[in-house]
Amino acid sequence: MKMKLGIIGYGGMGYWHGEYAPRAGVEVVAAYDVDPKRLEMAKESGLEAYDNLEEFFKHEGMNFVVIATPNDVHKDLTIRSMQAGMHVMVEKPATMSVADWDEMVAESEKTGRILTVHQNRRWDKDYNVMRKVVEEGKIGEIKSIESRVFGTGGAFFGWRSFPEYGGGMILDWGVHLFDQLLGMFPDTKVTSVYAKLMTVLDQKVDDYFKVTLTLENGPLLHVEVGTYAFYKLPRWYVIGNGGTLQIDDFDCKSGGYTKPRYTDTPVAEVVVMTSAGPTRMMAPRPPETKEDFPLPELETDWTELYQNLVNVMEGKEELIVKPYQVRRVLVIIEAVFQSAEEERSLEVSI
């Protein structure tokens, strides 16, 4: 079945879908927006442009829409789209609350329409390389995973700087990073959430956050995002009982993992002198007692997401980004906001 895609909200991400979805064999046919300039952009891209939503839904042959609008209107537009007969992929975050998502899922079940979310960073190379090393047991049993994204500009653009529209880094980047990590532990409960949200540059929304998730019989998960950090830490830093993994960037151009090599060299006898005295515990390992490995080669293809939607429409596959997975991330996000507001660690079972 041919996917004929319409785009609701032809801004930055809407334009991106319009340019890149055809690479997956999708026919992009129409766009809806309230901004005349964006409608002109859509026309220049060869799309039929609409400023009336009901007329947009009547576009001949259109059977799927992607919603790329401010977060606060995701629920309403999703429900209206499904009621008009469209399958829907909504941009992340799916919506502003768990209760809203439950309404959206209920409408999907009522209408028999597909409902999913554009969690495209499941296909990021850095994430999949990290996951491969971890799941193949290259560094033993995992004790801690640190996931970080830092920028230096400190600036928000458009609606993302306003809380009423769903702005801020938790809802912009946090939703991706939580989705990645929870996807690695689908059957393991999160038992506690501790979050600190800040406005480093006195924004109206969070421009820095640090979150720690404790897993039941699993590793600690640390997620940190900052928009005004001039020295970057690794994108991923993973500690196992058999080694350590570091990935420095999205493209995996720098990093690797290191494992101990057992030799006759007495590691514990190495001493380093500091200005405050000697230390044995923090002394570097002798080179012959460890072994360095490069990051594995791995190719990812984000077009798998769109191909999956085509196959779901034809009844050949299940959704990759499933509603219950989306809900779990939203539950975590609500707990993150509660923890930050109450300035305490929350005991949960998520």
Side-chain angles (χ1 to χ4, degrees), residues 109-304:
E109 294 171 348
K110 178 182 176 182
T111 59
R113 299 295 90 185
I114 296 168
L115 174 61
T116 190
V117 178
H118 189 230
Q119 294 290 173
N120 56 308
R121 292 198 174 273
R122 293 189 187 187
W123 285 266
D124 280 3
K125 182 175 182 178
D126 59 285
Y127 167 63
N128 284 281
V129 168
M130 179 277 297
R131 187 166 180 170
K132 179 179 175 66
V133 172
V134 166
E135 293 181 348
E136 290 183 354
K138 300 295 188 183
I139 57 172
E141 181 182 345
I142 304 304
K143 301 299 183 180
S144 172
I145 303 178
E146 300 179 13
S147 171
R148 290 187 177 85
V149 176
F150 284 162
T152 59
F156 285 81
F157 301 96
W159 59 266
R160 287 178 176 81
S161 61
F162 296 93
E164 59 267 32
Y165 300 131
M169 283 295 102
I170 287 290
L171 292 176
D172 191 11
W173 270 97
V175 63
H176 276 310
L177 306 185
F178 299 143
D179 179 73
Q180 288 179 336
L181 288 170
L182 292 177
M184 296 178 66
F185 304 96
D187 302 316
T188 305
K189 292 287 188 182
V190 178
T191 58
S192 72
V193 177
Y194 179 73
K196 186 70 175 180
L197 278 61
M198 298 182 186
T199 55
V200 175
L201 293 181
D202 197 27
Q203 311 273 7
K204 296 179 181 179
V205 293
D206 60 289
D207 59 8
Y208 172 84
F209 72 79
K210 182 178 284 190
V211 173
T212 299
L213 307 177
T214 303
L215 294 180
E216 184 177 45
N217 300 319
L220 281 176
L221 306 179
H222 307 268
V223 181
E224 185 176 18
V225 173
T227 65
Y228 198 64
F230 290 87
Y231 290 97
K232 292 190 176 183
L233 292 173
R235 171 70 185 89
W236 296 97
Y237 191 80
V238 185
I239 296 175
N241 65 1
T244 303
L245 166 73
Q246 179 168 312
I247 300 176
D248 295 322
D249 47 48
F250 289 115
D251 295 328
C252 299
K253 292 180 179 178
S254 175
Y257 63 98
T258 298
K259 300 174 65 171
R261 176 189 286 145
Y262 298 100
T263 69
D264 293 333
T265 302
V267 175
E269 293 185 7
V270 177
V271 179
V272 170
M273 294 300 300
T274 71
S275 59
T279 176
R280 180 179 287 111
M281 183 60 68
M282 299 307 167
R285 291 182 71 97
E288 65 272 20
T289 69
K290 62 186 181 72
E291 187 173 6
D292 298 324
F293 297 85
L295 296 173
E297 292 295 328
L298 184 67
E299 295 299 325
T300 57
D301 185 0
W302 68 269
T303 61
E304 180 186 351

